[in-house]
Amino acid sequence: TIFGATFMLVAAEHPLVVQIAEGKSVEQDVRAFVERVKKQDKMMRTSDYYEKEGVFLDAYCLNPATNKKMPIYAANFVLADYGTGCVMAVPTHDQRDFEFAEKYGLEKIVVIQNPDAPLDAETMTEAYVDEGVLVKSGKFDGMKNLQALEDIAEYLESIGRGKKTIEYRLRDWGISRQRYWGAPIPVINCEKCGVVPVPEEDLPVVLPKDVALTGEGDSPLEKIASFVNVTCPNCGGPAKRETDTMDTFVESSWYFNRFCSADCTERPGLDRAKVDYWMPVDQYIGGIEHAILHLLYARFYTKMLRDFGVVGVDEPFANLLTQGMVCKETMKCTEHGYLLPEEVKDGKCVYCDREATIGKTEKMSKSLKNVVDPNYIIDEYGADTARIFCLFAAPPERDLEWSDQGVDGSFRFLSRVWRIVVDYLDDIQNVAPFGDGEELDGDLKTLRKKTHQTIKKVTTDIEDRFHFNTAISAVMELVNALYQTGRPEPGDTKALSVIRETVEAVIILLSPIVPHMTEELWEMIGGKQQLSNTPWPSFDEAAAAEEEITIVVQVNGKVRSRVQVAASESHEKIKELALSDGKIRQLIGDKQVIKEIYVPKKLVNIVVK
Ligand SMILES: [Zn+2]
Ligand SMILES: [Zn+2]
């Protein structure tokens, strides 16, 4: 967005501010402004708490991309300790800059155009912060804004007017808390000696257990005389133990290392060989709020321990998954405000019979009353239905929209699984699953292929991407295939062994998702050990492979090429493949295709003019 930067903001407390204003007519105003901002709370300055304000320094700088003059302002919502404390302002694409420009009548230039609804700087009522296409950006016009980031950075670097950097938002961290829970800060406060560390032989400081947690006032530890009153290790006089405890993030930033060497009694409590063997953590799963604080703290800690030589790992977590939230539509009555789902019957408020209006779908919250009590689902359908619904509704990184129909559909699928297993129970109970070596054909061959394709898909969907939703769809398809397979005669052991293999696969593949029901079914079909102790099935590549056939491609009746396709491929897809074959495309050139004739499993004849 640098082409849209029209003014420059400097943190009010930045030394440059007074330096620039010195000796100018604005100096008194600037000094007064700086003093006022210094009294504002630093954390709140970047929020909406204070009105965004600034003062012109009677100075200009040049935009490095456009060479245009940009006025320089001191501002309260820019902080001196973030980055350089000076930022370019792009009012059309940053809401805070937009408000600032409106207030002081500063120029606005649209440089990211919204492809769906063109923007006009004159009539915009808020900044446009979504993606779009660059305009008024010199040689970068027409590029998608995110793709242009790298190119513009390189361009500025090439003309010596900038370079790429990474800006961390890690600030100083005040770790003391007035709480009972938390590791005690091991210091003693002595009136004579000041702050004295607890001697090493007295460590660790252990929290007292006889504490009244009233939820009121200061730290409950202050009221425990036996904890607070101690002898100063330095002068032997009476002293007070520190009652503040550490922020829980202090310990959660390194506990995973301790888990790897829990028995270590040597300083510093971590056995490097063991930590290096187990670390890093393969998978971190957490809400997006962890992606900001805990991850940064834990990474900072890891690098610190690495620099001290305590551990050899550089990064604590190999993979991050931030799961989405559960959302649901909101419902409102003009008289009674937000309504819980059970307060609406047939679209009406149960208290006044007024029509309930359905509002936006939002993250479930008590205040919006768009919450579903899991106990209700569990009573009505069981815990397995609740689980499969949640996993099926969306991939885990996306928000999940709660839907009662979806819950019902999940329940029907599980019932379908239950019914077919019970239906086959007598026939397959004493049959071993199909082993390799024997030839199959027809329905049974197709079913076995589908079974092994499903094992493969479910395994990779879960292992590689946690995509339980697509894994569940695959099992649904397999269950359909099982229903469609003609029922073998009771004595046909070979056919029943194929059925048995499929039934086992369905049960095992669903077991991480619906553990209760599958454990029950497993026992019913005569599983030798608990399902949870049964190995995950492996798939047979050969059985999963699609059979391939060769299709001859003719142009005007003459054989011109051949294409390999899966035997089960659709007619449409085969025609498409024939037309996109390199040799055929060349032959057709700009001639007109009049028709394509398809002889199933044999040839495609393309008639051109
Ligand atoms: Zn002392
Ligand atoms: Zn009402």
Side-chain angles (χ1 to χ4, degrees), residues 317-576:
F317 313 117
N319 254 313
L320 168 68
L321 171 72
T322 55
Q323 82 270 27
M325 316 235 217
V326 184
C327 302
K328 192 180 186 331
E329 62 194 14
T330 51
M331 284 182 293
K332 217 172 181 177
C333 164
T334 47
E335 174 75 22
H336 297 96
Y338 285 113
L339 299 170
L340 288 164
E342 54 267 33
E343 291 171 325
V344 178
K345 281 265 138 56
D346 302 322
K348 289 181 174 148
C349 170
V350 292
Y351 305 112
C352 65
D353 223 30
R354 283 191 181 85
E355 204 74 33
T357 48
I358 293 180
K360 269 213 326 228
T361 295
E362 307 239 27
K363 175 189 155 195
M364 282 190 182
S365 77
K366 279 183 188 159
S367 59
L368 298 175
K369 298 199 176 175
N370 57 342
V371 288
V372 177
D373 182 358
N375 286 326
Y376 163 77
I377 309 285
I378 291 166
D379 289 345
E380 193 88 345
Y381 298 103
D384 280 341
T385 297
R387 293 172 62 119
I388 196 171
F389 165 71
C390 290
L391 294 171
F392 182 55
E397 69 275 13
R398 290 243 308 275
D399 285 348
L400 175 166
E401 189 170 340
W402 190 270
S403 109
D404 294 334
Q405 294 88 337
V407 175
D408 211 54
S410 298
F411 181 71
R412 273 186 276 118
F413 167 65
L414 292 182
S415 308
R416 208 167 137 75
V417 172
W418 182 272
R419 279 198 308 272
I420 194 143
V421 176
V422 169
D423 192 35
Y424 268 117
L425 204 54
D426 291 340
D427 292 349
I428 61 169
Q429 218 162 17
N430 298 310
V431 174
F434 185 81
D436 239 352
E438 280 185 276
E439 279 296 311
L440 289 172
D441 51 24
D443 257 16
L444 293 171
K445 186 171 185 184
T446 311
L447 180 63
R448 183 149 201 268
K449 181 173 72 188
K450 187 81 185 164
T451 301
H452 283 266
Q453 286 174 340
T454 308
I455 296 171
K456 184 177 179 181
K457 177 155 176 59
V458 171
T459 305
T460 52
D461 279 354
I462 295 180
E463 267 183 6
D464 298 354
R465 309 181 294 152
F466 298 109
H467 278 195
F468 292 98
N469 58 327
T470 51
I472 294 166
S473 312
V475 180
M476 286 174 168
E477 279 183 33
L478 181 59
V479 171
N480 284 343
L482 184 56
Y483 269 96
Q484 279 158 15
T485 303
R487 190 178 181 113
E489 292 298 321
D492 187 349
T493 322
K494 182 171 152 190
L496 287 170
S497 69
V498 176
I499 301 286
R500 167 96 196 188
E501 188 186 22
T502 302
V503 167
E504 283 195 5
V506 167
I507 294 173
I508 301 178
L509 295 178
L510 283 176
S511 67
I513 296 155
V514 286
H516 308 101
M517 173 180 138
T518 47
E519 194 73 62
E520 185 73 24
L521 288 175
W522 188 250
E523 195 186 321
M524 284 159 63
I525 63 165
K528 295 275 176 293
Q529 52 180 346
Q530 277 206 338
L531 180 56
S532 49
N533 290 327
T534 304
W536 189 253
S538 52
F539 53 89
D540 177 346
E541 278 287 1
E546 284 290 348
E547 196 188 325
E548 289 212 324
I549 51 173
T550 304
I551 301 282
V552 168
V553 187
Q554 301 179 330
V555 177
N556 290 345
K558 280 201 180 121
V559 176
R560 297 296 191 179
S561 186
R562 287 179 170 79
V563 291
Q564 293 288 116
V565 300
S568 59
E569 201 58 275
S570 72
H571 298 180
E572 286 312 308
K573 181 80 192 177
I574 290 172
K575 284 185 203 168
E576 206 183 294

